[in-house]
Structure formats: structure tokens, C-alpha cells
């Protein structure tokens, strides 16, 4: 192998990654307070740099480096990082060059329009407005699948973009198992609603105090403020520019203590992942999460299994009471714990509790699968949506705004993304089970605010590898077995079964 | 002229400008709170994008577009904006291609090292540490001048980078005039120091209240928060990404009410300029200030002639007292006005008042001029510096940290920059004089907080043109004459003469 080719390839990869960081800073800036009159010019700037980045990633240089370096004998002579890097870039390259540039350009414009139309359609609860756009988007995605090729189900190719290696066959299996055990729990609740009073969570909570408490909890969890910062945005997110700069945002609601608090812990989970990726991967696309599902497992791990646990609040509830004595002085830690963990069937995914959340995802998964295979028509979505909500959750949307129009994902063309959320939940349950075998006194550690052993374990098993391992390798590394929904089923059953 | 060439040229120019905005966002981010562990990777990202931007600006495409479009007949067929744009890009292009890339690269590395060494040298007050770097930097600049060519004095070529059209001949003339009238005023003060008690400015002023008051004043002055934002940074600055996004920063000192307040008004002046550049210039290098001097005139206009005036505080002093009753209840508006305008000779430029400021600049100007012509040796700088401070200001640095090492500019190679500060002061005085002829009741307007007519006049005469006009054309537009130091002399004399 020519050392020069490898060096040139690495330089080109680093260059692409530099554009990616610049774009990430600009997006972060747009979402955390960029002045609105600059948005139009900024969008053009983003367009120019995105195009340049895309050109580099499908350049003839990239093509020829990849062709040379991906020869079997060449690959063998590379160290692990370079080998995986070549394979990752080759996968991206081949995906990109298979789409004619004009077609891709048309699709970008379409989804950008569709997102704007979707906003209006949702506001007016008018599915007919959005339907023609969605039809075109589905059509494009069907064509992309044709161009990219597929094995087994057509939807597999889209799933692979977010969760490499996952298939319809596997998802059908794990979702069946999960649904079989979850639906009865949910319908039981539906028929006998909880009498729990959770109204104290919705009192007035001073926003600046909420912020102070969020910062306090982030420090306790070990979020590294020298490698990140907390800002505010309309929709909370985490963005990793590089392992030394992983930013999170939250949204403080003046009449809701739970929203920002658990949102912050959720984003902190994402951030702890990227802050602890090996520095050897900096400047490459491997310096990233292994998949959307593994990423979500980290956020849910901290949000649900640590941050919503009784031991955690045994440690921190006094602090929270000190911040909000008027609101919480008369509320016990047990009351607080039960209130933040209350489950009940509802219509809106992003407000759903951990028990019902996966049912929201399964509904979307089943619809996406059918749309891409052609078995479901876009025109039938609202009816099918409502039927499935009634069947799985026992609730029925009164209009499409709180039904099929609630999420932006389809307007953006992100078919294959939704399952990641439930995969994250399943991975997280499987991980916490494995961790308990290693650290039998986990609850005691959490109750003492001792998170270092937990983070070290996650870094050793998950974080450090970035995208060097597949999701399958990661979960096997962690637990010694493949993805297994039994752990999540067990967790949900023991937490939410009435009897 | 080929319409196609013009379109392609404009696209390329827009592309370069897009890199510039991306870089500006990243610099702004680094200076307003980017996490420190990400700085190393960020520097590489900035390096990659700067290099790409530079390559575009000296690309063969750029060269051939400019060659075609700058033919006399072609130029004539262009509208004014495109014509000036071609000329501006041609000037930049020719300057850039005349420097061999390796030489430029070496210089970039040198100044980057020198800035870091300068920090250490200043801290240790050890000029010998810094001297060899400065010698190399001066040497490079002399070579650049050779490569770029020069008319009259060699230093003219460097001046032209910051203040197009200004020459040593002109500067010698206006600085002589200014010095002749200022030095006696300063030495008079030195010999009979003011008895004014200004200590109330240095009480404890709560930083969050300072911030609220700064935001209030910015709104009053008409800074457009939909096209900008206020942040905090170690050194205050303004950065215009585009006219819809012109950001400013300030630094709040807990024991100094004046620093952040007048710093904010100063940066607001810079920002009002760029927020009001014509939208026709967006996406071009003409969407910028006409020069560093004209830019500084706008900041000084608002800081000195509006924000430090008695009418301004007759309007706003009650508000300030309301924010800080403990500190200011017993201080009259006259006392406040006199305190913020107190002048006295001092060693440090950035802390200097408006009377002595220009003497600091002249000293640097005279030294730079001699360094570039070869009449002054780097080794002699500390001695010459101290002599001039004694001669012009009657003060003598006790070490080089508060003398020749105080400013970063030379470490960064910015020879020719310093005179802009004084040019700004002269332009501002000339402008306010012209404005008073148009608005005889200016003081009444200011005392009523009516700034709209002032801003409209500045926009009409200065802001809208961006870099479409030369500094000379701007000042002629405003005042009907060329740069004339008499207005500043008159202002300073009437404000600061004892008798």
C-alpha cells in the first residue's frame, strides 16, 4: 500500500470532517439564539458549505483512494482504525454516488418545502395539505431504495442508515415481543386510571432556579463543562462537534419542573457518550455514535435508569427541595418518584412515558414499512394511524394534528429513524442489566452520587469505540448476547404491572 | 461582456463570502464561550476552511474572471456595484498572488508563534524574548512591501490595507497638526493634575444589573436585536456576519461602571454601521466598512460625541441612578459627566481618554514608519518608545510590559493598523460638525433620546455604502471636504483647555 495514498485519504477525510464541524457550529448557533434577520443569509452559507462538503465526499480523489485502499490486500495491511475508516467511507461514498445529483438536489428542495408545509398543515390540522408532499417523499425514498439496492425487505436499506445491521426481520421479532407484553399493561391502565396526584410537578418553578439546578445535576453526573456547555433552544438537543466540544441544550418551562430536568439528563447521556469517544478517532466519521439506537441507549440509560430511579432521588431530592421549598416541602421523595414515573396512554409521542413510548414507535414503524414496500398508501395513513392508536394504546386522536401530523420526521424524509428510539430503550435495559452483574451495589452507588464507576464502565464498553464497532458488536460487548427485548419487558413489567 | 462570466464571478465571490461568514461564526464562538477542550480541533477546522477560502480567492477561475471583467470596455458596461466589486476583488487578488504561498505559510506560522511568545514576554516584561520574533516579522513586512510595490513611502502599502488611499504624507500632516495642539494641553494637565474625585465610578456595580443597563441603552440607541445579540468576551468586539447578524460583546467589570458601559456603546457604533449597509452588497466583500478608520469613526461617534455628552446623560442619568441608587444617589449628573470625561496622561493605550489617545497612536505610527523604512531597528524600540512617551505625554514606563510590549498588534504583524484609531477620531469629529449643520438642535434631540434622525443621516451618508465608496469619498460626502484634523483639535481644545 502506498503510504502516500493513506495520508492523502486521511487529509481528505479530515477536510470533510472540518466542514462538518463548521456546519454543526452554524446549526447550533441558529438554534440557540442567532438573530432572525441573519437567517436567510446563513441558510445560503450553510447551502454553500454543505455542497462543498458533499462534493469532497464524492470527489474523484475520494473514489480513487477508496478503490485503492479497499483492495483486500491493502485493507489487511491497515490498522484497525484505518481499515474501519476505509469501509465506513466506502459505504457512504457508494451510497452517495448512486443518487444522480439532480435527483438529490430536487429531493433536498422538496423536503425543505415539505417541512414548511407540514408546519402549516399541523397548525391547521389539515392532512390534505401535506399529503401530496408526503406522497412525493415516499416516492423518492422508494426510488432511492431501488438505486441503493436492498436485501430482504426494501425498508432494510433505510433502516441501515440509522441502525447499521438492523433488519425488518429482527425488528418484527423484538417489537412483537415488546408489544405482546406492553399492550396489556397499557390497556389495564386505561381501564383503571391512576389516582395519583402529580399536579405539584406543574406549579410555577422559577426558570433561573431550574437552570441552576440543571447545571448542578450536570456537574454531579460528570458532564465535562470544559468540553461542553448548556444552552437553551426550542427543542432540546445534543451536538458533538468533537470530543472536546459536546454541547447540549434544554428548554425551561415555567410551569413544569420535569420537562427541562429530565430533558437535560437525557441530553447529558448523549453528551457523555461523545465526550468519551477515543481521541484517536478525531477527524474521522468514526468519531461519532455507533448508531442512532446506541446513541439513544445512552440518553435513556441516564434519563430513565439513573435519573428517574428512587436511589437517585434519595440522593438529590433534598437538594431539589432546597431549590424549591414552597413547591416541594410537603412532597415526600416517594411521592416525587411516583409522580415522575407515572404512566398513562396518550396521543403524543414526545410527551409519552417510558411504558407507552415504544407503542408510539411501533405504530410509526409498521406504517413506514408498509409505505416503503407499497402495501400502504399515503392517503390511508390518517385512518390507519388512528386505528392503531386505538388498538395499541386505547386512545383515539380527535384530529390529525394530534395524530398523523404530530412529528416532523416524515416531512424531512427520515424514514427508518423512528425505530432507533425503541432500540435505544431496549439496548439501555440490556446494558443496565449487564452493569448490575458487574456492579451489584449499583443502587448504593447511585444513592451516594457515585457515578464514576458507571461512566467508566460505559466508556470501556461503549463510548470509547465511537463508530469503530457496529451496534451488534457493542451490545454483544456489553452483555454477551445480541439485542434482546426481554430485559426491557422485564423492567417495564416489574415497574408498571398492577398486580 | 459575457453575462455568464459575471454570474460565475458573482457565484465565486459569494462562495468566498460564505467561508468568511462560517469562519466569523467560529471565531465569535471561540471568543464568547466555546469549551476550551475543543479549541485544538477547532483551530484545525479554522485552518482547513481558511486555506480553502484563500485557494478560492486566488484560483485560476478568479484570475480569469477578473482579467476578463477588468478590461476597460467590460468595466464600463458593468453597473456601479459590479464595477467596484471587480476592482476590489482585483486589488485583493493581486495582493494575494504576489506573495509566494510558502512564504505566506511561513509568515502565518511565525505570527501565530509570535503572539504566543508575546503573551509570555509581556507577562515577564522581557522584551529580549520577543525581539527576535519581531525582527523576523518586520523583515517579512519589508519583503511584502517589495513584492507588492509602493508609491512614495514604503509604509504607504501597509497603510493601504487598513485605510485605502491614506499616505504617510497625509498622516504626517494631520498628526503634526493634532500633536501641536494636543501635547501642550496634556503637559498642562500633567503639571497641574485634576482634583476631581472619580472614585465613585469604581465602586461595586452588580454585573447582572450592568448587563440589564447595557441592554437598555443598546435598545435606546436603536441597536437592532433582531439583527444582532450582546455577549460577553475577554476583549470587547463587534463582528458583522451579514447586515442581518451583527453581534457585539462587552466585558463587565464588577468594580467599574464605565468600562462595560462605554465599551458597549463603542461596539454599538460599529454595529449600527454594519446593520445598515445596503442589502444589495450582501454576499460581496463590499458588504463591510469602507475602512478601519471609517469603522472606528462610527464607534467613536457614538461613544464620545453621543454617549459621553452632557445631553445624553441629562436624558439617561436618572435611569442609571435607578439601577444603582446606592452608588449614585449623591452624585449629580454634572459630577458624573465630568468624571467619565476626565483626561490625564497615562501609559496604557487601551485605558487612555480621548484627549491623550491620539498621542499613543502617533508614537506607534512614528515607530512603525521607521521600522518599515529601515530607519529604526527593532533593538532600539524600547528606548525610543520610552523617550516618545516622556516627550508627548510626560510619562515614563517603568518596564516594557507597560511600554513597548503592551499591544498585541505587532506580534500579529498588523503594521499600518494603529493610525486607523486616530483617523476614526478625526473623521468622527468632522462628521459631528457636519451633522450639527444639518441638525442644529442635535443636543435637544440627544437630550430627548431621539436618535433616529442621527442614525438616518449616518446611514444616508456613510452606512449604506459599505465599501462601495473610499474613505475619502465618504468623508467628502459627509462634510464637503477632505480629512481635516481641525475639527478634532477644536473639539479637544474646547473640552480640555484649562483656560
Amino acid at each position: 500500500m502506498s503510504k502516500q495514498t493513506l495520508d492523502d485519504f486521511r487529509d481528505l477525510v479530515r477536510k470533510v470532517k472540518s466542514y462538518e464541524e463548521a456546519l454543526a457550529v452554524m446549526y447550533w448557533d441558529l438554534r440557540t439564539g442567532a438573530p432572525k434577520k441573519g437567517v436567510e443569509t446563513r441558510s445560503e452559507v450553510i447551502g454553500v458549505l454543505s455542497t462543498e462538503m458533499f462534493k469532497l465526499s464524492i470527489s474523484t480523489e475520494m473514489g480513487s483512494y477508496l478503490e485503492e485502499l479497499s483492495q483486500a490486500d491493502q485493507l489487511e495491511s491497515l490498522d484497525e482504525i484505518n481499515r474501519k475508516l476505509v469501509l465506513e467511507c466506502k459505504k457512504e461514498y457508494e451510497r452517495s454516488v448512486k443518487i444522480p445529483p439532480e435527483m438529490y438536489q430536487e429531493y433536498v428542495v422538496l423536503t425543505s418545502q415539505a417541512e414548511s408545509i407540514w408546519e402549516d398543515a399541523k397548525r391547521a390540522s389539515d392532512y390534505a395539505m401535506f399529503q401530496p408532499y408526503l406522497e412525493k417523499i415516499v416516492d423518492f425514498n422508494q426510488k432511492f431504495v431501488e438505486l441503493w439496492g436492498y436485501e430482504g425487505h426494501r425498508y432494510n436499506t433505510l433502516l441501515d442508515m440509522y441502525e447499521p445491521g438492523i433488519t425488518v426481520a429482527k425488528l418484527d421479532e423484538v417489537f412483537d415481543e415488546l408489544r405482546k407484553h406492553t399492550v396489556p399493561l397499557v390497556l389495564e391502565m386505561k381501564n383503571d386510571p391512576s389516582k395519583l396526584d402529580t399536579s405539584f410537578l406543574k406549579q410555577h418553578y422559577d426558570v433561573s432556579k431550574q437552570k441552576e439546578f440543571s447545571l448542578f445535576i450536570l456537574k454531579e453526573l460528570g458532564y465535562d463543562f470544559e468540553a461542553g456547555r448548556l444552552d437553551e433552544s426550542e427543542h432540546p438537543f445534543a451536538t458533538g462537534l468533537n470530543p472536546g466540544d459536546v454541547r447540549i441544550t434544554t428548554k425551561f418551562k415555567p410551569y413544569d419542573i420535569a420537562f427541562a430536568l429530565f430533558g437535560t439528563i437525557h441530553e447529558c447521556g448523549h453528551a457523555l457518550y461523545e465526550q468519551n469517544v477515543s481521541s484517536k478517532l478525531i477527524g474521522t466519521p468514526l468519531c461519532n455514535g455507533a448508531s442512532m439506537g446506541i446513541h439513544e441507549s445512552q440518553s435513556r440509560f441516564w434519563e430513565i435508569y439513573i435519573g428517574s430511579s428512587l436511589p437517585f432521588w434519595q440522593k438529590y431530592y433534598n437538594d431539589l427541595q432546597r431549590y424549591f421549598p414552597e413547591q416541594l416541602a410537603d412532597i415526600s421523595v416517594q411521592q416525587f418518584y411516583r409522580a415522575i414515573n407515572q404512566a398513562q396512554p396518550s396521543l403524543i409521542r414526545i410527551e409519552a412515558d417510558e411504558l407507552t413510548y415504544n407503542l408510539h414507535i411501533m405504530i410509526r414503524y409498521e406504517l413506514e414499512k408498509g409505505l416503503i414496500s407499497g402495501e400502504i398508501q399515503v392517503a390511508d395513513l390518517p385512518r390507519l394511524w388512528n386505528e392503531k392508536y386505538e388498538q395499541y394504546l386505547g386512545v383515539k386522536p380527535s384530529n390529525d394534528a394530534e395524530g398523523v401530523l404530530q412529528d416532523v420526521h416524515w416531512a424531512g424524509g427520515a424514514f427508518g429513524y423512528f425505530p432507533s428510539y425503541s432500540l435505544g430503550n431496549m439496548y439501555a435495559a440490556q446494558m443496565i442489566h449487564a452493569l448490575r452483574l458487574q456492579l451489584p451495589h449499583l443502587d448504593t452507588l447511585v444513592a451516594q452520587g457515585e457515578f464514576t464507576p458507571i461512566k467508566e464502565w460505559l466508556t470501556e464498553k461503549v463510548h470509547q469505540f465511537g463508530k469503530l464497532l457496529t451496534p451488534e458488536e457493542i451490545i454483544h460487548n456489553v452483555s454477551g448476547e445480541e439485542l434482546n427485548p426481554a430485559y426491557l419487558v422485564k423492567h417495564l413489567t416489574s415497574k408498571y404491572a398492577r398486580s
Side-chain angles (χ1 to χ4, degrees), chain A residues 22 95 98 106 116 126 152 166 173 219 234 246 255 273 275 279-280 284 286 316 330 342 413 425 428-429 435 444 470:
Chain A
R95 188 186 280 275
K98 280 180 183 164
E106 202 185 325
S116 160
D126 181 357
I166 205 76
E173 176 199 323
K219 274 179 205 125
E234 184 56 31
V246 186
Y255 287 89
Y273 190 176
Q275 284 184 337
S279 62
K280 290 178 193 160
T284 78
L286 302 177
Y316 293 110
D330 298 335
Q342 200 203 19
N425 290 333
L435 177 59
T444 313
T470 64

Side-chain angles (χ1 to χ4, degrees), chain A residues 21-34 42 46 228-233 237-241 245-249:
Chain A
E21 174 158 336
L23 287 163
V25 174
M26 288 192 283
Y27 279 118
W28 169 85
D29 180 64
L30 280 178
R31 296 169 74 180
T32 55
R42 175 66 62 81
I46 286 176
R229 46 183 284 168
L230 175 68
D231 292 87
E232 293 173 47
S233 64
F237 66 97
T239 181
L241 308 175
D245 190 348
V246 186
R247 303 176 183 200
I248 59 179
T249 72

Side-chain angles (χ1 to χ4, degrees), chain A residues 211-223 225 261 264-265 268 312-313 316 319 323 451:
Chain A
K211 186 169 181 179
E212 273 176 51
F213 191 75
S214 277
L215 289 169
F216 164 68
I217 288 292
L218 284 171
K219 274 179 205 125
E220 287 290 306
L221 293 176
Y223 175 78
F225 278 93
L261 184 51
T264 302
I265 299 174
C268 176
F312 184 85
W313 289 107
Y316 293 110
D319 296 305
Y323 276 83
F451 304 114

Side-chain angles (χ1 to χ4, degrees), chain A residues 38 150 165 184 214 243 246 261 273 278 329 339 386 392 400 410 424 447 469 479 492:
Chain A
Y150 59 94
S214 277
V246 186
L261 184 51
Y273 190 176
S278 165
N386 293 354
Y392 293 174
D400 289 334
W410 292 343
L469 301 183
S479 66
L492 292 174

Side-chain angles (χ1 to χ4, degrees), chain A residues 52-342:
Chain A
E52 290 303 299
M53 180 172 80
F54 186 69
K55 278 186 192 163
L56 288 173
S57 70
I58 58 159
S59 60
T60 48
E61 288 79 12
M62 183 65 94
S64 71
Y65 298 150
L66 287 171
E67 197 185 332
E68 182 180 339
L69 294 169
S70 64
Q71 303 296 323
D73 59 327
Q74 300 274 1
L75 267 185
E76 258 174 52
S77 71
L78 294 173
D79 64 26
E80 190 196 1
I81 291 177
N82 281 317
R83 191 167 58 245
K84 298 265 169 90
L85 178 58
V86 167
L87 294 173
E88 175 69 18
C89 291
K90 190 162 191 283
K91 186 173 170 184
E92 276 307 304
Y93 174 82
E94 286 175 354
R95 188 186 280 275
S96 300
V97 294
K98 280 180 183 164
I99 307 289
E102 320 75 55
M103 185 180 181
Y104 183 69
Q105 189 54 37
E106 202 185 325
Y107 181 65
V108 169
V109 173
L110 171 65
T111 51
S112 157
Q113 289 172 335
E115 287 186 23
S116 160
I117 296 289
W118 165 79
E119 272 184 37
D120 296 342
K122 182 176 173 179
R123 205 173 297 117
S125 193
D126 181 357
Y127 183 72
M129 261 177 87
F130 182 52
Q131 187 182 322
Y133 290 87
L134 187 54
E135 280 167 349
K136 281 187 204 157
I137 291 171
V138 169
D139 193 50
F140 264 102
N141 274 277
Q142 289 171 336
K143 283 181 186 145
F144 291 158
V145 170
E146 284 295 328
L147 289 164
W148 284 328
Y150 59 94
E151 286 178 39
H153 199 286
R154 287 162 180 264
Y155 185 59
N156 286 345
T157 297
L158 299 175
L159 284 173
D160 191 70
M161 292 176 66
Y162 304 98
E163 197 67 19
I166 205 76
T167 60
V168 164
K170 183 71 186 173
L171 277 181
D172 282 346
E173 176 199 323
V174 297
F175 277 161
D176 278 352
E177 182 69 13
L178 197 52
R179 186 173 47 242
K180 199 171 66 190
H181 291 90
T182 316
V183 170
L185 294 174
V186 173
L187 297 183
E188 188 182 59
M189 263 169 201
K190 162 82 182 157
N191 296 329
D192 178 17
S194 159
K195 307 289 182 299
L196 195 63
D197 179 10
T198 61
S199 61
F200 67 85
L201 295 175
K202 307 280 183 181
Q203 298 170 87
H204 181 254
Y205 288 88
D206 179 71
V207 161
S208 65
K209 280 193 190 165
Q210 283 196 51
K211 186 169 181 179
E212 273 176 51
F213 191 75
S214 277
L215 289 169
F216 164 68
I217 288 292
L218 284 171
K219 274 179 205 125
E220 287 290 306
L221 293 176
Y223 175 78
D224 182 353
F225 278 93
E226 293 195 345
R229 46 183 284 168
L230 175 68
D231 292 87
E232 293 173 47
S233 64
E234 184 56 31
H235 301 285
F237 66 97
T239 181
L241 308 175
N242 62 65
D245 190 348
V246 186
R247 303 176 183 200
I248 59 179
T249 72
T250 194
K251 181 181 179 171
F252 298 104
K253 296 186 173 182
Y255 287 89
D256 186 342
I257 183 63
F259 187 86
L261 184 51
F262 294 99
T264 302
I265 299 174
H266 180 98
E267 302 307 333
C268 176
H270 283 303
L272 289 174
Y273 190 176
E274 296 209 22
Q275 284 184 337
N276 291 297
V277 171
S278 165
S279 62
K280 290 178 193 160
L281 303 179
I282 289 176
T284 78
L286 302 177
C287 195
N288 216 323
S291 68
M292 298 302 293
I294 297 291
H295 229 308
E296 190 72 6
S297 78
Q298 296 310 292
S299 54
R300 295 295 266 180
F301 183 96
W302 289 97
E303 177 193 355
I304 302 288
Y305 295 98
I306 306 295
S308 303
S309 72
L310 189 57
F312 184 85
W313 289 107
Q314 281 163 341
K315 167 74 179 165
Y316 293 110
Y317 190 62
N318 282 344
D319 296 305
L320 187 63
Q321 281 179 314
R322 240 195 356 261
Y323 276 83
F324 300 105
E326 275 179 48
Q327 295 87 338
L328 298 177
D330 298 335
I331 307 292
S332 72
V333 63
Q334 280 78 11
Q335 280 175 290
F336 181 79
Y337 167 74
R338 282 196 302 269
I340 61 171
N341 284 289
Q342 200 203 19

